[in-house]
Every structure is written in C-alpha cells, then in structure tokens.
Amino acid sequence: MGKVAVTAAVIGGAAVCAAVALLVRHQLRNSSQSSRAAAILKEFQEKCGTPESKLKQVADAMTVEMHAGLASEGGSKLKMLISYVDNLPTGAEEGVYYALDLGGTNFRVLRVQLGGTNGGVVDQEFAELSIPPSLMVGTSQELFDYIAAELAKFVAQEGDRFQLPDGRKRELGFTFSFPVMQNSIVSGTLMRWTKGFSIDDAVGKDVVAELSSAMERQGVEMHVSALVNDTVGTLAGGRYTNKDVVMAVIMGTGTNAAYVERSQAIPKWHGPQPESGEMVINMEWGNFRSSHLPLTEYDNELDAESLNPGEQIFEKLTSGMYLGEIVRRVLCRMAEESALFGDTVPPKLRTPFILRTPDMSAMHHDTSYDLKVVGNKLKDILEISNTTLKVRKVVVELCDIVARRGARLAAAGILGILKKTGRDSFKDGDSQKTVIAMDGGLYEHYTAYRECLEATLKELLDDEVAEHIVCEHSNDGSGIGAALLAASHSWYLS
Ligand code: ADP
Ligand code: MG
C-alpha cells in the first residue's frame, strides 16, 4: 500500500470512528436524558406515595384537628365554623325562593318554587355566569355590584309560574364559599379569600351587608334570609332528597366539607343549645395541613408562589384549581433537566396555570392507541408539536400520579370525619346508612379522580362499614340547599 493510500485509509477510519463516537454520544445523551426524565418521574411518584398506613395517619390528624377547631376559636388550622344551621330541611318548605352562589370561577343564580310537604321542587330556573378575572382582584364594591346587576336581570325574567304571595319581598339564600365567621344565619364577616380571589377591602366586612347595599344600588328588592357556605348548602340540598345525608364534600375549584355535629360536642359554642341537638359545621378543610401530607418540592414552590402562601395546603394537593398546575410544574422540570421536549424548554410551559385541570383530565382519560388527545393538548395548549408516544405516556403517568394522590387524600379526609362522628365502625344490628353528598366540577367530571376517591374510601373502611357508606352526587345541591335554608329562615316566619 502506498503512502497516500495509507493516509487515506487512516483518515477514512478516523472519520468513521468520529461518526460512530458522535452517534454513540448522541444516543448516550438521549438515553441519559430519558433516564433522567424517568428518574424525575420516579422520584416524584415516590414522594407522592399514599399507602394505606399514611392515609390513616392523615385521617387521624384530620380528626385531631377537628376536635381542636371545635374546642376553641383559632385552636386549629381547621376553622370548624359554626353555620347557625341547626335544622336541616324537612321537606315542608314552601314558596318561591332565590339563591345566589358565589364561590369560584362561576356564579349562579337560581329561583325555585318549593311545593311544601311531599311537593318537592315544583319548578326551578337558573343562570350561570363567569366572573371576569379583573373583578376577582378588584374592589369589594365592583364585585358585588356586578353580581347584584346580574341578579337584577335574572329577577326581571321571572315568569308567572313563580308565585310570590302579595305584600312579600323576594327572599334569597346567599351561598358564599369562602371562609366566613358567622354571627347569625344572616350575617358573617369574610376572614380571607381563597381560590384565586384577592380583594383586600372586603376582608373583615359583613358579606351580607356588602351584598345588600349592592342590591340596593342596583335596584333589587330582596331580603337576604340565609348566608351559607356551599358545603352547608349541599348538605341541606342533599338532606332534602335523602334523610341519610350527614355530610357534604365539594371537590371543585377548591375543596371543603361540612357535616352534622352534636351541638354538645362543640365546646366553643356558647349560645343556647338548639332543640335538635345538632349543628352543621363548615370545616374549611381546604386549610388542613399535617406533617403526614406527602408534599413535594413542586407543591412547596406552587404554594410559595400562590396568592395565599402557607394557607389551604390540603386544597392545593387535592382540588381542581391546582392539579393541572402541579403537572405543569413537573413537566417543566423534566423539560429543563432532561430535554423532554427537545433542546429548549417550550416557552408556554413556563406560564403558571396554563395547563388547566379539565385538560389534564382529558389527557388522563385518553384511550386512543397513540394518545392522540395528549398530543393535541400538548400542541394546542403548550405549543409542543411532534411528541413521541413515549413522551405522551410520561404525561399520562404524571396526570395519574397527581390525580391519585389528590383523590386518595380526599378519601382520607372523609375517613377523618367518619371517625369524628363515630361512623367508621359497625355497630351490630345497625343498618343506618351514612350518605355523603358530593359535588363540584372535579368530582363530577374527572372520572378517574372520582373513582379513585370512592375506591380508596372503601379500601380504608372495613367491608361491613363500607357497605353502609354511600357517596351520592348532589348535582348543584348547594343552590337548592341555599333556597331551602332561606325558606326555613324566612323573614315572614314568626
Ligand atoms: P366552583 O368550584 O368554581 O364553584 P365547580 O364545582 O363547577 O365550580 O368546579 C369547577 C372546577 O371543576 C374547575 O375549576 C375545574 O378545576 C374542575 N373541572 C371542571 N370540569 C372538569 C373536567 N372535565 N375535568 C376535571 N376537572 C374539571
Ligand atoms: Mg361551587
């Protein structure tokens, strides 16, 4: 072989070697990246773990906090608010009543004609409107004026089917789903905002007074006859149709629960003991927190950057406002550290709250063989195109981890209430059912979440007990419930 030929062969060989090295390096980089992605996923999954033993600790912690919150004002992260509802609907309520439900992204107005004993709900009409985001962080007057103006429009559409007795003003049950310290069934001061609302000048004010003055400004002639939390409304609405309803849980934008407590078991209640011996307690359980909760760095960051850092930790793990955002945060970390979506982090992925829980739910439920829904959502929402099946599977897995953790923790919370009320054990010969009125968009529409919640509750209870405990969807029970409570607390009752 001549010198030139040798040189050429060497150069050729070197080129081949370089190309192979490049290829191997590239593959290595890819495989180390994908193993980095797998490691992030695995670590997150482990930190989100909710074995039965942990859930039972969470339930016990919930029970302990319930006792503490009932013992004294400010005794616990759980406010355990006294609702002043000591009589749930009986079925005898009669007449036309309005309800207004404010507590999330939408608000609803409703009118019902109640038929009295055995009459049930004879007729009802409602309207649903979204709250312009600017009003969620504006002034108290702007928010309440907007609501009162919409209420005025709704009242103007009342047809002849609804019969208001002569000489009476219309009456309203006001469902206001934020923490309120009530002074009576028709008054209460706002303690703080949750769920993305932040209107400083409303805190500490009486929300019924705020609504009433706005109604006056907008020319709505109406009495506010009951101020209720949505969980209390759902409990009342649930009881109207099923006498075994003893608690209500809402999983929507936020989360909360209410239940019937023995009035003697409320040390902080210094008022007269109600005849019924019962009082509905609005737990404000969204603010529950415990060292047993499986919090990850993503949850801590979400909390730190939220409008209410340090508050509503249980809500931030379990409710609709936050689940999609947790998924986004983990995806963002994967994009940064493992180039999950290519060499640069897709800019949209850095936008907080861009991935909403309904979209997460749609991806989670994608049953197509190539996960087409996941691909489309990633493209439409995050502008990430050409994702591989492997990447889409990672996304689904992530949704599953986040939804399961939330649903299982919610079930543990319910177990905590069952324990507090002695309904977690079976007494021989007792065939009493315990019905939980459930509502909220997350519970209603996120099937995997709902199923996991209900299965976990069964898993946590003995079989015999589980047979007697039923979750029942109370579709917008809170609106009807508020109207029912307005009826039982009517201005025109002696
Ligand atoms: P709110 O809690 O605001 O009073 P809803 O009870 O209707 O109102 O709950 C709305 C919330 O439910 C949304 O913010 C969203 O988080 C969740 N949600 C609605 N639809 C879906 C869905 N298809 N999948 C998952 N979550 C959903
Ligand atoms: Mg609601």
Side-chain angles (χ1 to χ4, degrees), residues 24 55 149 189 195 205 216-217 286 300 342 364 374 389 430 434 439 484 491-492:
V24 169
L55 293 180
T189 53
K195 297 178 276 192
K205 285 189 184 157
E216 212 165 288
R217 285 192 295 271
N300 294 331
H364 194 176
V374 178
L389 184 57
D430 186 0
T434 294
D439 200 10
L484 288 162
W491 273 61
Y492 301 99

mmCIF file of all heavy atoms in Angstrom, residues 24 55 149 189 195 205 216-217 286 300 342 364 374 389 430 434 439 484 491-492:
data_model
loop_
_atom_site.group_PDB
_atom_site.id
_atom_site.type_symbol
_atom_site.label_atom_id
_atom_site.label_comp_id
_atom_site.label_asym_id
_atom_site.label_seq_id
_atom_site.Cartn_x
_atom_site.Cartn_y
_atom_site.Cartn_z
ATOM 1 N N VAL A 24 -22.812 7.411 19.113
ATOM 2 C CA VAL A 24 -22.932 6.806 20.443
ATOM 3 C C VAL A 24 -23.164 7.889 21.488
ATOM 4 O O VAL A 24 -24.024 7.774 22.358
ATOM 5 C CB VAL A 24 -21.660 5.989 20.775
ATOM 6 C CG1 VAL A 24 -21.664 5.576 22.247
ATOM 7 C CG2 VAL A 24 -21.585 4.769 19.881
ATOM 8 N N LEU A 55 -52.451 7.182 54.764
ATOM 9 C CA LEU A 55 -53.793 7.772 54.691
ATOM 10 C C LEU A 55 -54.482 7.705 56.051
ATOM 11 O O LEU A 55 -55.206 8.615 56.442
ATOM 12 C CB LEU A 55 -54.630 7.071 53.621
ATOM 13 C CG LEU A 55 -54.151 7.284 52.183
ATOM 14 C CD1 LEU A 55 -55.057 6.539 51.205
ATOM 15 C CD2 LEU A 55 -54.107 8.768 51.817
ATOM 16 N N ALA A 149 -76.133 43.282 39.801
ATOM 17 C CA ALA A 149 -76.677 43.684 38.497
ATOM 18 C C ALA A 149 -77.158 42.442 37.732
ATOM 19 O O ALA A 149 -78.221 42.458 37.089
ATOM 20 C CB ALA A 149 -75.625 44.440 37.692
ATOM 21 N N THR A 189 -68.646 37.786 58.716
ATOM 22 C CA THR A 189 -67.549 38.572 58.150
ATOM 23 C C THR A 189 -66.562 37.666 57.413
ATOM 24 O O THR A 189 -66.258 36.559 57.855
ATOM 25 C CB THR A 189 -66.787 39.354 59.233
ATOM 26 O OG1 THR A 189 -66.392 38.436 60.252
ATOM 27 C CG2 THR A 189 -67.652 40.430 59.851
ATOM 28 N N LYS A 195 -58.919 30.403 46.551
ATOM 29 C CA LYS A 195 -59.246 30.054 45.156
ATOM 30 C C LYS A 195 -58.981 31.170 44.139
ATOM 31 O O LYS A 195 -59.729 31.340 43.183
ATOM 32 C CB LYS A 195 -60.721 29.613 45.047
ATOM 33 C CG LYS A 195 -61.031 28.358 45.844
ATOM 34 C CD LYS A 195 -62.497 27.961 45.754
ATOM 35 C CE LYS A 195 -63.355 28.713 46.751
ATOM 36 N NZ LYS A 195 -64.719 28.164 46.890
ATOM 37 N N LYS A 205 -65.236 42.502 56.353
ATOM 38 C CA LYS A 205 -66.560 43.112 56.196
ATOM 39 C C LYS A 205 -67.652 42.053 56.255
ATOM 40 O O LYS A 205 -67.406 40.876 55.992
ATOM 41 C CB LYS A 205 -66.654 43.831 54.845
ATOM 42 C CG LYS A 205 -65.886 45.141 54.823
ATOM 43 C CD LYS A 205 -66.200 45.892 53.541
ATOM 44 C CE LYS A 205 -65.382 47.169 53.438
ATOM 45 N NZ LYS A 205 -65.247 47.610 52.046
ATOM 46 N N GLU A 216 -79.262 47.177 46.702
ATOM 47 C CA GLU A 216 -79.962 48.454 46.782
ATOM 48 C C GLU A 216 -79.510 49.364 45.638
ATOM 49 O O GLU A 216 -80.335 49.960 44.940
ATOM 50 C CB GLU A 216 -79.653 49.107 48.124
ATOM 51 C CG GLU A 216 -80.787 49.947 48.675
ATOM 52 C CD GLU A 216 -80.543 50.234 50.151
ATOM 53 O OE1 GLU A 216 -80.670 49.298 50.970
ATOM 54 O OE2 GLU A 216 -80.181 51.381 50.454
ATOM 55 N N ARG A 217 -78.196 49.450 45.431
ATOM 56 C CA ARG A 217 -77.674 50.304 44.349
ATOM 57 C C ARG A 217 -78.191 49.846 42.987
ATOM 58 O O ARG A 217 -78.416 50.644 42.101
ATOM 59 C CB ARG A 217 -76.132 50.269 44.338
ATOM 60 C CG ARG A 217 -75.472 51.073 45.440
ATOM 61 C CD ARG A 217 -73.970 51.231 45.200
ATOM 62 N NE ARG A 217 -73.245 49.973 45.251
ATOM 63 C CZ ARG A 217 -72.714 49.443 46.359
ATOM 64 N NH1 ARG A 217 -72.833 50.063 47.517
ATOM 65 N NH2 ARG A 217 -72.069 48.294 46.312
ATOM 66 N N GLY A 286 -60.055 22.756 53.463
ATOM 67 C CA GLY A 286 -59.005 23.083 52.500
ATOM 68 C C GLY A 286 -57.744 23.588 53.170
ATOM 69 O O GLY A 286 -56.644 23.479 52.643
ATOM 70 N N ASN A 300 -44.393 22.726 47.266
ATOM 71 C CA ASN A 300 -43.870 23.835 48.071
ATOM 72 C C ASN A 300 -43.653 25.074 47.214
ATOM 73 O O ASN A 300 -43.928 26.201 47.635
ATOM 74 C CB ASN A 300 -42.577 23.416 48.770
ATOM 75 C CG ASN A 300 -42.832 22.321 49.798
ATOM 76 O OD1 ASN A 300 -43.924 22.245 50.369
ATOM 77 N ND2 ASN A 300 -41.848 21.458 50.015
ATOM 78 N N GLY A 342 -37.206 18.396 23.764
ATOM 79 C CA GLY A 342 -36.195 18.936 22.860
ATOM 80 C C GLY A 342 -35.226 19.833 23.602
ATOM 81 O O GLY A 342 -35.282 19.964 24.824
ATOM 82 N N HIS A 364 -55.540 12.472 30.749
ATOM 83 C CA HIS A 364 -55.523 11.293 31.618
ATOM 84 C C HIS A 364 -56.478 10.211 31.111
ATOM 85 O O HIS A 364 -56.213 9.023 31.206
ATOM 86 C CB HIS A 364 -55.903 11.743 33.029
ATOM 87 C CG HIS A 364 -55.625 10.739 34.104
ATOM 88 N ND1 HIS A 364 -55.827 11.016 35.424
ATOM 89 C CD2 HIS A 364 -55.177 9.456 34.066
ATOM 90 C CE1 HIS A 364 -55.508 9.950 36.161
ATOM 91 N NE2 HIS A 364 -55.109 8.987 35.344
ATOM 92 N N VAL A 374 -53.628 13.494 24.061
ATOM 93 C CA VAL A 374 -52.458 14.060 24.750
ATOM 94 C C VAL A 374 -51.643 14.885 23.765
ATOM 95 O O VAL A 374 -51.268 16.033 24.043
ATOM 96 C CB VAL A 374 -51.583 12.934 25.367
ATOM 97 C CG1 VAL A 374 -50.354 13.528 26.041
ATOM 98 C CG2 VAL A 374 -52.392 12.109 26.347
ATOM 99 N N LEU A 389 -44.696 8.890 21.284
ATOM 100 C CA LEU A 389 -45.621 8.146 22.130
ATOM 101 C C LEU A 389 -45.052 8.009 23.541
ATOM 102 O O LEU A 389 -45.770 8.089 24.542
ATOM 103 C CB LEU A 389 -45.891 6.759 21.517
ATOM 104 C CG LEU A 389 -46.914 5.901 22.256
ATOM 105 C CD1 LEU A 389 -48.253 6.620 22.372
ATOM 106 C CD2 LEU A 389 -47.102 4.557 21.552
ATOM 107 N N ASP A 430 -77.068 -2.414 63.433
ATOM 108 C CA ASP A 430 -77.305 -1.048 62.979
ATOM 109 C C ASP A 430 -77.299 -1.021 61.451
ATOM 110 O O ASP A 430 -76.289 -1.311 60.827
ATOM 111 C CB ASP A 430 -76.198 -0.142 63.526
ATOM 112 C CG ASP A 430 -76.470 1.311 63.221
ATOM 113 O OD1 ASP A 430 -77.505 1.587 62.585
ATOM 114 O OD2 ASP A 430 -75.665 2.160 63.615
ATOM 115 N N THR A 434 -74.914 5.901 55.971
ATOM 116 C CA THR A 434 -74.278 7.210 56.030
ATOM 117 C C THR A 434 -74.128 7.680 54.597
ATOM 118 O O THR A 434 -73.438 7.030 53.808
ATOM 119 C CB THR A 434 -72.889 7.104 56.682
ATOM 120 O OG1 THR A 434 -73.054 6.734 58.054
ATOM 121 C CG2 THR A 434 -72.138 8.428 56.594
ATOM 122 N N ASP A 439 -70.258 17.036 45.588
ATOM 123 C CA ASP A 439 -70.490 17.902 44.425
ATOM 124 C C ASP A 439 -69.194 18.591 44.021
ATOM 125 O O ASP A 439 -68.174 18.464 44.701
ATOM 126 C CB ASP A 439 -71.583 18.935 44.742
ATOM 127 C CG ASP A 439 -72.201 19.523 43.460
ATOM 128 O OD1 ASP A 439 -71.933 19.017 42.353
ATOM 129 O OD2 ASP A 439 -72.953 20.513 43.575
ATOM 130 N N LEU A 484 -83.601 26.440 50.163
ATOM 131 C CA LEU A 484 -84.325 25.753 51.238
ATOM 132 C C LEU A 484 -84.046 26.395 52.595
ATOM 133 O O LEU A 484 -84.955 26.561 53.415
ATOM 134 C CB LEU A 484 -83.906 24.275 51.293
ATOM 135 C CG LEU A 484 -84.422 23.394 50.159
ATOM 136 C CD1 LEU A 484 -83.603 22.110 50.071
ATOM 137 C CD2 LEU A 484 -85.907 23.089 50.373
ATOM 138 N N TRP A 491 -88.035 35.594 56.474
ATOM 139 C CA TRP A 491 -88.390 36.809 57.217
ATOM 140 C C TRP A 491 -89.842 36.752 57.687
ATOM 141 O O TRP A 491 -90.215 37.449 58.613
ATOM 142 C CB TRP A 491 -88.260 38.031 56.285
ATOM 143 C CG TRP A 491 -86.895 38.598 56.249
ATOM 144 C CD1 TRP A 491 -85.762 37.969 55.843
ATOM 145 C CD2 TRP A 491 -86.513 39.919 56.639
ATOM 146 N NE1 TRP A 491 -84.693 38.811 55.952
ATOM 147 C CE2 TRP A 491 -85.134 40.024 56.430
ATOM 148 C CE3 TRP A 491 -87.211 41.030 57.138
ATOM 149 C CZ2 TRP A 491 -84.425 41.190 56.708
ATOM 150 C CZ3 TRP A 491 -86.506 42.194 57.399
ATOM 151 C CH2 TRP A 491 -85.107 42.253 57.189
ATOM 152 N N TYR A 492 -90.639 35.987 56.985
ATOM 153 C CA TYR A 492 -92.070 36.013 57.259
ATOM 154 C C TYR A 492 -92.509 34.890 58.188
ATOM 155 O O TYR A 492 -93.689 34.700 58.426
ATOM 156 C CB TYR A 492 -92.841 35.979 55.933
ATOM 157 C CG TYR A 492 -92.450 37.161 55.064
ATOM 158 C CD1 TYR A 492 -91.508 37.007 54.035
ATOM 159 C CD2 TYR A 492 -92.974 38.427 55.308
ATOM 160 C CE1 TYR A 492 -91.114 38.087 53.267
ATOM 161 C CE2 TYR A 492 -92.578 39.516 54.538
ATOM 162 C CZ TYR A 492 -91.651 39.346 53.524
ATOM 163 O OH TYR A 492 -91.257 40.420 52.771
#
